[in-house]
């Protein structure tokens, strides 16, 4: 389905009260969409399952991608089947269901599907460097890339319980934040650039309870080139 048809369907859903969402906001987000999103299809891993070893073992990637991540898509598909959200981008489902108790299951599964999409895209086997534009913003907001990485690692290790550590932009400033459970900066109007999964399933097979070891092991694998593309969008 092309974007126009998707928007028309979403607008129709808004008009009938199916989604409490301004159509203008949909257009603005569509223009800046950072990740290929669909509630129907889990994106392919951007590398082989063993490509992140030894930082993340093939076994962990296998369970994480094929069981946990896939499970959120499976659950979401069941929850939105036959509803106005059946063909909606994940971001639109997330924004329409956030903080609505009656839609909590849909939000949780859509947000977890989205967050994991970005997690796999946030890692790369060889690491990469920020663009000049992103590096300038990093220098402006954190002083140096090492200072940003230290803040990101601190947010990841310090998040109490299950959640995520993010580098995001609000349009004027880069921010490091942590969210609990399925939380995502999208609902605060921010564009996520990088994310680290700190649910125990992300590291328990490899590191057991040693989250700090997992975080320090993956810092060199962060895909700053991908973050730069999302920053440019
Ligand atoms: Mn996970």
């Amino acid at each position: 389905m092309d974007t126009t048809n998707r928007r028309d369907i979403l607008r129709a859903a808004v008009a009938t009260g199916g989604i409490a969402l301004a159509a203008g906001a949909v257009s603005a987000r569509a223009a800046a969409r950072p990740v290929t999103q669909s509630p129907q299809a889990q994106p392919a891993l951007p590398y082989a399952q063993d490509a992140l070893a030894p930082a993340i073992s093939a076994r962990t990637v296998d369970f994480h991608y094929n069981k946990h991540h896939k499970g959120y898509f499976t659950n979401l598909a069941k929850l939105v089947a036959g509803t106005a959200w059946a063909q909606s981008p994940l971001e639109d489902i997330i924004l329409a269901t956030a903080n609505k108790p009656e839609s909590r299951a849909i939000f949780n599964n859509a947000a977890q599907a989205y967050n994991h999409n970005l997690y796999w895209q946030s890692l790369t086997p060889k690491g990469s460097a920020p663009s000049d534009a992103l590096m300038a913003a990093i220098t402006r907001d954190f002083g140096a890339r090492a200072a940003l990485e230290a803040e990101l690692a601190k947010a990841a290790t310090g998040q109490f319980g299950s959640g995520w550590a993010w580098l995001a932009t609000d349009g004027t400033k880069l921010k490091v934040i942590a969210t609990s459970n399925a939380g995502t900066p999208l609902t605060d109007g921010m564009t996520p650039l990088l994310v680290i999964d700190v649910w125990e399933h992300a590291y328990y097979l490899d590191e057991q309870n040693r989250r700090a070891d997992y975080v320090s092991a993956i810092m060199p694998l962060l895909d700053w080139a991908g973050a730069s593309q999302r920053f440019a969008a």
Side-chain angles (χ1 to χ4, degrees), residues 71-86 93 102-110:
Y72 297 120
F73 279 93
T74 304
N75 291 336
L76 179 63
K78 289 179 190 163
L79 289 164
V80 301
T83 75
W85 290 312
I93 299 173
E102 69 276 18
S103 305
R104 184 171 295 137
I106 295 176
F107 172 84
N108 283 340
N109 284 284

PDB file of all heavy atoms in Angstrom, residues 71-86 93 102-110:
ATOM      1  N   GLY A  71       7.648 -12.222  18.464  1.00  0.00           N
ATOM      2  CA  GLY A  71       6.449 -12.383  19.277  1.00  0.00           C
ATOM      3  C   GLY A  71       5.625 -11.107  19.372  1.00  0.00           C
ATOM      4  O   GLY A  71       4.385 -11.159  19.387  1.00  0.00           O
ATOM      5  N   TYR A  72       6.299  -9.960  19.437  1.00  0.00           N
ATOM      6  CA  TYR A  72       5.552  -8.697  19.495  1.00  0.00           C
ATOM      7  C   TYR A  72       4.773  -8.465  18.198  1.00  0.00           C
ATOM      8  O   TYR A  72       3.642  -7.982  18.226  1.00  0.00           O
ATOM      9  CB  TYR A  72       6.503  -7.525  19.771  1.00  0.00           C
ATOM     10  CG  TYR A  72       7.202  -7.627  21.115  1.00  0.00           C
ATOM     11  CD1 TYR A  72       8.586  -7.686  21.212  1.00  0.00           C
ATOM     12  CD2 TYR A  72       6.458  -7.681  22.294  1.00  0.00           C
ATOM     13  CE1 TYR A  72       9.225  -7.790  22.436  1.00  0.00           C
ATOM     14  CE2 TYR A  72       7.085  -7.777  23.529  1.00  0.00           C
ATOM     15  CZ  TYR A  72       8.470  -7.835  23.592  1.00  0.00           C
ATOM     16  OH  TYR A  72       9.099  -7.940  24.807  1.00  0.00           O
ATOM     17  N   PHE A  73       5.371  -8.812  17.059  1.00  0.00           N
ATOM     18  CA  PHE A  73       4.652  -8.687  15.787  1.00  0.00           C
ATOM     19  C   PHE A  73       3.466  -9.646  15.737  1.00  0.00           C
ATOM     20  O   PHE A  73       2.375  -9.282  15.285  1.00  0.00           O
ATOM     21  CB  PHE A  73       5.597  -8.952  14.605  1.00  0.00           C
ATOM     22  CG  PHE A  73       6.437  -7.765  14.221  1.00  0.00           C
ATOM     23  CD1 PHE A  73       7.707  -7.597  14.743  1.00  0.00           C
ATOM     24  CD2 PHE A  73       5.945  -6.805  13.353  1.00  0.00           C
ATOM     25  CE1 PHE A  73       8.480  -6.498  14.398  1.00  0.00           C
ATOM     26  CE2 PHE A  73       6.702  -5.701  13.008  1.00  0.00           C
ATOM     27  CZ  PHE A  73       7.980  -5.547  13.530  1.00  0.00           C
ATOM     28  N   THR A  74       3.690 -10.878  16.191  1.00  0.00           N
ATOM     29  CA  THR A  74       2.612 -11.869  16.175  1.00  0.00           C
ATOM     30  C   THR A  74       1.444 -11.410  17.041  1.00  0.00           C
ATOM     31  O   THR A  74       0.283 -11.450  16.625  1.00  0.00           O
ATOM     32  CB  THR A  74       3.137 -13.226  16.677  1.00  0.00           C
ATOM     33  OG1 THR A  74       4.255 -13.605  15.868  1.00  0.00           O
ATOM     34  CG2 THR A  74       2.069 -14.298  16.618  1.00  0.00           C
ATOM     35  N   ASN A  75       1.780 -10.938  18.252  1.00  0.00           N
ATOM     36  CA  ASN A  75       0.726 -10.478  19.158  1.00  0.00           C
ATOM     37  C   ASN A  75       0.010  -9.249  18.602  1.00  0.00           C
ATOM     38  O   ASN A  75      -1.217  -9.139  18.660  1.00  0.00           O
ATOM     39  CB  ASN A  75       1.313 -10.142  20.535  1.00  0.00           C
ATOM     40  CG  ASN A  75       1.775 -11.384  21.266  1.00  0.00           C
ATOM     41  OD1 ASN A  75       1.304 -12.478  20.996  1.00  0.00           O
ATOM     42  ND2 ASN A  75       2.715 -11.217  22.178  1.00  0.00           N
ATOM     43  N   LEU A  76       0.792  -8.320  18.053  1.00  0.00           N
ATOM     44  CA  LEU A  76       0.194  -7.093  17.517  1.00  0.00           C
ATOM     45  C   LEU A  76      -0.756  -7.410  16.363  1.00  0.00           C
ATOM     46  O   LEU A  76      -1.858  -6.846  16.289  1.00  0.00           O
ATOM     47  CB  LEU A  76       1.298  -6.143  17.036  1.00  0.00           C
ATOM     48  CG  LEU A  76       0.797  -4.824  16.438  1.00  0.00           C
ATOM     49  CD1 LEU A  76       0.046  -3.999  17.495  1.00  0.00           C
ATOM     50  CD2 LEU A  76       1.966  -4.023  15.860  1.00  0.00           C
ATOM     51  N   ALA A  77      -0.336  -8.306  15.480  1.00  0.00           N
ATOM     52  CA  ALA A  77      -1.184  -8.653  14.327  1.00  0.00           C
ATOM     53  C   ALA A  77      -2.540  -9.176  14.798  1.00  0.00           C
ATOM     54  O   ALA A  77      -3.585  -8.838  14.231  1.00  0.00           O
ATOM     55  CB  ALA A  77      -0.479  -9.681  13.446  1.00  0.00           C
ATOM     56  N   LYS A  78      -2.522  -9.993  15.864  1.00  0.00           N
ATOM     57  CA  LYS A  78      -3.791 -10.509  16.400  1.00  0.00           C
ATOM     58  C   LYS A  78      -4.640  -9.381  16.981  1.00  0.00           C
ATOM     59  O   LYS A  78      -5.857  -9.328  16.801  1.00  0.00           O
ATOM     60  CB  LYS A  78      -3.517 -11.546  17.497  1.00  0.00           C
ATOM     61  CG  LYS A  78      -2.954 -12.864  16.969  1.00  0.00           C
ATOM     62  CD  LYS A  78      -2.683 -13.815  18.134  1.00  0.00           C
ATOM     63  CE  LYS A  78      -1.894 -15.026  17.653  1.00  0.00           C
ATOM     64  NZ  LYS A  78      -1.272 -15.748  18.781  1.00  0.00           N
ATOM     65  N   LEU A  79      -3.964  -8.451  17.675  1.00  0.00           N
ATOM     66  CA  LEU A  79      -4.692  -7.382  18.371  1.00  0.00           C
ATOM     67  C   LEU A  79      -5.304  -6.372  17.402  1.00  0.00           C
ATOM     68  O   LEU A  79      -6.350  -5.790  17.702  1.00  0.00           O
ATOM     69  CB  LEU A  79      -3.749  -6.659  19.349  1.00  0.00           C
ATOM     70  CG  LEU A  79      -3.352  -7.469  20.586  1.00  0.00           C
ATOM     71  CD1 LEU A  79      -2.139  -6.844  21.270  1.00  0.00           C
ATOM     72  CD2 LEU A  79      -4.512  -7.559  21.569  1.00  0.00           C
ATOM     73  N   VAL A  80      -4.648  -6.118  16.259  1.00  0.00           N
ATOM     74  CA  VAL A  80      -5.165  -5.078  15.347  1.00  0.00           C
ATOM     75  C   VAL A  80      -5.944  -5.658  14.172  1.00  0.00           C
ATOM     76  O   VAL A  80      -6.484  -4.896  13.367  1.00  0.00           O
ATOM     77  CB  VAL A  80      -4.033  -4.154  14.810  1.00  0.00           C
ATOM     78  CG1 VAL A  80      -3.318  -3.467  15.963  1.00  0.00           C
ATOM     79  CG2 VAL A  80      -3.068  -4.920  13.921  1.00  0.00           C
ATOM     80  N   ALA A  81      -6.012  -6.976  14.072  1.00  0.00           N
ATOM     81  CA  ALA A  81      -6.755  -7.587  12.950  1.00  0.00           C
ATOM     82  C   ALA A  81      -8.190  -7.066  12.943  1.00  0.00           C
ATOM     83  O   ALA A  81      -8.871  -7.078  13.966  1.00  0.00           O
ATOM     84  CB  ALA A  81      -6.741  -9.107  13.095  1.00  0.00           C
ATOM     85  N   GLY A  82      -8.617  -6.576  11.786  1.00  0.00           N
ATOM     86  CA  GLY A  82      -9.993  -6.111  11.655  1.00  0.00           C
ATOM     87  C   GLY A  82     -10.266  -4.748  12.253  1.00  0.00           C
ATOM     88  O   GLY A  82     -11.406  -4.300  12.270  1.00  0.00           O
ATOM     89  N   THR A  83      -9.227  -4.062  12.754  1.00  0.00           N
ATOM     90  CA  THR A  83      -9.414  -2.720  13.310  1.00  0.00           C
ATOM     91  C   THR A  83      -8.855  -1.682  12.344  1.00  0.00           C
ATOM     92  O   THR A  83      -8.213  -2.012  11.345  1.00  0.00           O
ATOM     93  CB  THR A  83      -8.680  -2.555  14.664  1.00  0.00           C
ATOM     94  OG1 THR A  83      -7.273  -2.431  14.403  1.00  0.00           O
ATOM     95  CG2 THR A  83      -8.931  -3.748  15.578  1.00  0.00           C
ATOM     96  N   ALA A  84      -9.056  -0.397  12.688  1.00  0.00           N
ATOM     97  CA  ALA A  84      -8.535   0.703  11.862  1.00  0.00           C
ATOM     98  C   ALA A  84      -7.016   0.699  11.826  1.00  0.00           C
ATOM     99  O   ALA A  84      -6.416   1.352  10.978  1.00  0.00           O
ATOM    100  CB  ALA A  84      -9.043   2.036  12.408  1.00  0.00           C
ATOM    101  N   TRP A  85      -6.379  -0.020  12.745  1.00  0.00           N
ATOM    102  CA  TRP A  85      -4.915  -0.019  12.824  1.00  0.00           C
ATOM    103  C   TRP A  85      -4.260  -1.149  12.029  1.00  0.00           C
ATOM    104  O   TRP A  85      -3.049  -1.263  12.001  1.00  0.00           O
ATOM    105  CB  TRP A  85      -4.469  -0.135  14.282  1.00  0.00           C
ATOM    106  CG  TRP A  85      -4.750   1.086  15.082  1.00  0.00           C
ATOM    107  CD1 TRP A  85      -4.472   2.381  14.736  1.00  0.00           C
ATOM    108  CD2 TRP A  85      -5.357   1.147  16.363  1.00  0.00           C
ATOM    109  NE1 TRP A  85      -4.878   3.235  15.724  1.00  0.00           N
ATOM    110  CE2 TRP A  85      -5.422   2.507  16.735  1.00  0.00           C
ATOM    111  CE3 TRP A  85      -5.861   0.183  17.251  1.00  0.00           C
ATOM    112  CZ2 TRP A  85      -5.971   2.931  17.954  1.00  0.00           C
ATOM    113  CZ3 TRP A  85      -6.390   0.611  18.458  1.00  0.00           C
ATOM    114  CH2 TRP A  85      -6.452   1.963  18.788  1.00  0.00           C
ATOM    115  N   ALA A  86      -5.062  -1.981  11.388  1.00  0.00           N
ATOM    116  CA  ALA A  86      -4.496  -3.174  10.751  1.00  0.00           C
ATOM    117  C   ALA A  86      -3.423  -2.848   9.720  1.00  0.00           C
ATOM    118  O   ALA A  86      -2.504  -3.631   9.503  1.00  0.00           O
ATOM    119  CB  ALA A  86      -5.606  -4.011  10.120  1.00  0.00           C
ATOM    120  N   ILE A  93       0.274   3.790  15.292  1.00  0.00           N
ATOM    121  CA  ILE A  93      -0.389   2.972  16.320  1.00  0.00           C
ATOM    122  C   ILE A  93       0.115   3.375  17.702  1.00  0.00           C
ATOM    123  O   ILE A  93      -0.665   3.553  18.648  1.00  0.00           O
ATOM    124  CB  ILE A  93      -0.124   1.468  16.073  1.00  0.00           C
ATOM    125  CG1 ILE A  93      -0.685   1.048  14.706  1.00  0.00           C
ATOM    126  CG2 ILE A  93      -0.729   0.630  17.195  1.00  0.00           C
ATOM    127  CD1 ILE A  93      -0.310  -0.378  14.310  1.00  0.00           C
ATOM    128  N   GLU A 102      -7.217   1.371  27.852  1.00  0.00           N
ATOM    129  CA  GLU A 102      -7.979   0.393  27.075  1.00  0.00           C
ATOM    130  C   GLU A 102      -7.178  -0.137  25.882  1.00  0.00           C
ATOM    131  O   GLU A 102      -7.535  -1.158  25.302  1.00  0.00           O
ATOM    132  CB  GLU A 102      -9.308   1.007  26.599  1.00  0.00           C
ATOM    133  CG  GLU A 102      -9.182   2.090  25.544  1.00  0.00           C
ATOM    134  CD  GLU A 102      -8.896   3.484  26.119  1.00  0.00           C
ATOM    135  OE1 GLU A 102      -8.470   3.584  27.287  1.00  0.00           O
ATOM    136  OE2 GLU A 102      -9.084   4.463  25.378  1.00  0.00           O
ATOM    137  N   SER A 103      -6.098   0.560  25.519  1.00  0.00           N
ATOM    138  CA  SER A 103      -5.281   0.145  24.371  1.00  0.00           C
ATOM    139  C   SER A 103      -3.877  -0.294  24.788  1.00  0.00           C
ATOM    140  O   SER A 103      -2.976  -0.349  23.960  1.00  0.00           O
ATOM    141  CB  SER A 103      -5.160   1.303  23.373  1.00  0.00           C
ATOM    142  OG  SER A 103      -6.415   1.774  22.984  1.00  0.00           O
ATOM    143  N   ARG A 104      -3.714  -0.622  26.058  1.00  0.00           N
ATOM    144  CA  ARG A 104      -2.369  -0.871  26.574  1.00  0.00           C
ATOM    145  C   ARG A 104      -1.678  -2.035  25.872  1.00  0.00           C
ATOM    146  O   ARG A 104      -0.500  -1.971  25.539  1.00  0.00           O
ATOM    147  CB  ARG A 104      -2.409  -1.115  28.086  1.00  0.00           C
ATOM    148  CG  ARG A 104      -1.007  -1.293  28.705  1.00  0.00           C
ATOM    149  CD  ARG A 104      -1.063  -1.304  30.215  1.00  0.00           C
ATOM    150  NE  ARG A 104      -1.504  -0.020  30.738  1.00  0.00           N
ATOM    151  CZ  ARG A 104      -2.380   0.126  31.734  1.00  0.00           C
ATOM    152  NH1 ARG A 104      -2.906  -0.922  32.310  1.00  0.00           N
ATOM    153  NH2 ARG A 104      -2.721   1.323  32.148  1.00  0.00           N
ATOM    154  N   ALA A 105      -2.406  -3.103  25.607  1.00  0.00           N
ATOM    155  CA  ALA A 105      -1.779  -4.280  24.971  1.00  0.00           C
ATOM    156  C   ALA A 105      -1.307  -3.946  23.559  1.00  0.00           C
ATOM    157  O   ALA A 105      -0.223  -4.357  23.136  1.00  0.00           O
ATOM    158  CB  ALA A 105      -2.753  -5.452  24.946  1.00  0.00           C
ATOM    159  N   ILE A 106      -2.124  -3.180  22.834  1.00  0.00           N
ATOM    160  CA  ILE A 106      -1.720  -2.777  21.476  1.00  0.00           C
ATOM    161  C   ILE A 106      -0.495  -1.881  21.553  1.00  0.00           C
ATOM    162  O   ILE A 106       0.483  -2.075  20.816  1.00  0.00           O
ATOM    163  CB  ILE A 106      -2.881  -2.069  20.748  1.00  0.00           C
ATOM    164  CG1 ILE A 106      -4.033  -3.048  20.518  1.00  0.00           C
ATOM    165  CG2 ILE A 106      -2.409  -1.487  19.410  1.00  0.00           C
ATOM    166  CD1 ILE A 106      -5.274  -2.419  19.897  1.00  0.00           C
ATOM    167  N   PHE A 107      -0.514  -0.899  22.467  1.00  0.00           N
ATOM    168  CA  PHE A 107       0.648  -0.015  22.609  1.00  0.00           C
ATOM    169  C   PHE A 107       1.902  -0.821  22.941  1.00  0.00           C
ATOM    170  O   PHE A 107       2.950  -0.639  22.316  1.00  0.00           O
ATOM    171  CB  PHE A 107       0.415   1.036  23.697  1.00  0.00           C
ATOM    172  CG  PHE A 107       1.660   1.831  24.003  1.00  0.00           C
ATOM    173  CD1 PHE A 107       2.000   2.930  23.221  1.00  0.00           C
ATOM    174  CD2 PHE A 107       2.520   1.460  25.032  1.00  0.00           C
ATOM    175  CE1 PHE A 107       3.178   3.640  23.464  1.00  0.00           C
ATOM    176  CE2 PHE A 107       3.694   2.161  25.278  1.00  0.00           C
ATOM    177  CZ  PHE A 107       4.017   3.254  24.489  1.00  0.00           C
ATOM    178  N   ASN A 108       1.804  -1.697  23.918  1.00  0.00           N
ATOM    179  CA  ASN A 108       2.992  -2.440  24.357  1.00  0.00           C
ATOM    180  C   ASN A 108       3.604  -3.242  23.213  1.00  0.00           C
ATOM    181  O   ASN A 108       4.825  -3.244  23.024  1.00  0.00           O
ATOM    182  CB  ASN A 108       2.646  -3.374  25.515  1.00  0.00           C
ATOM    183  CG  ASN A 108       2.499  -2.636  26.836  1.00  0.00           C
ATOM    184  OD1 ASN A 108       2.994  -1.518  26.990  1.00  0.00           O
ATOM    185  ND2 ASN A 108       1.814  -3.250  27.782  1.00  0.00           N
ATOM    186  N   ASN A 109       2.778  -3.929  22.448  1.00  0.00           N
ATOM    187  CA  ASN A 109       3.303  -4.770  21.366  1.00  0.00           C
ATOM    188  C   ASN A 109       3.793  -3.934  20.184  1.00  0.00           C
ATOM    189  O   ASN A 109       4.827  -4.244  19.593  1.00  0.00           O
ATOM    190  CB  ASN A 109       2.261  -5.799  20.943  1.00  0.00           C
ATOM    191  CG  ASN A 109       2.155  -6.930  21.951  1.00  0.00           C
ATOM    192  OD1 ASN A 109       3.007  -7.798  22.002  1.00  0.00           O
ATOM    193  ND2 ASN A 109       1.141  -6.899  22.797  1.00  0.00           N
ATOM    194  N   ALA A 110       3.079  -2.856  19.854  1.00  0.00           N
ATOM    195  CA  ALA A 110       3.528  -1.990  18.753  1.00  0.00           C
ATOM    196  C   ALA A 110       4.837  -1.293  19.113  1.00  0.00           C
ATOM    197  O   ALA A 110       5.765  -1.202  18.300  1.00  0.00           O
ATOM    198  CB  ALA A 110       2.457  -0.959  18.412  1.00  0.00           C
TER     199      ALA A 110
END
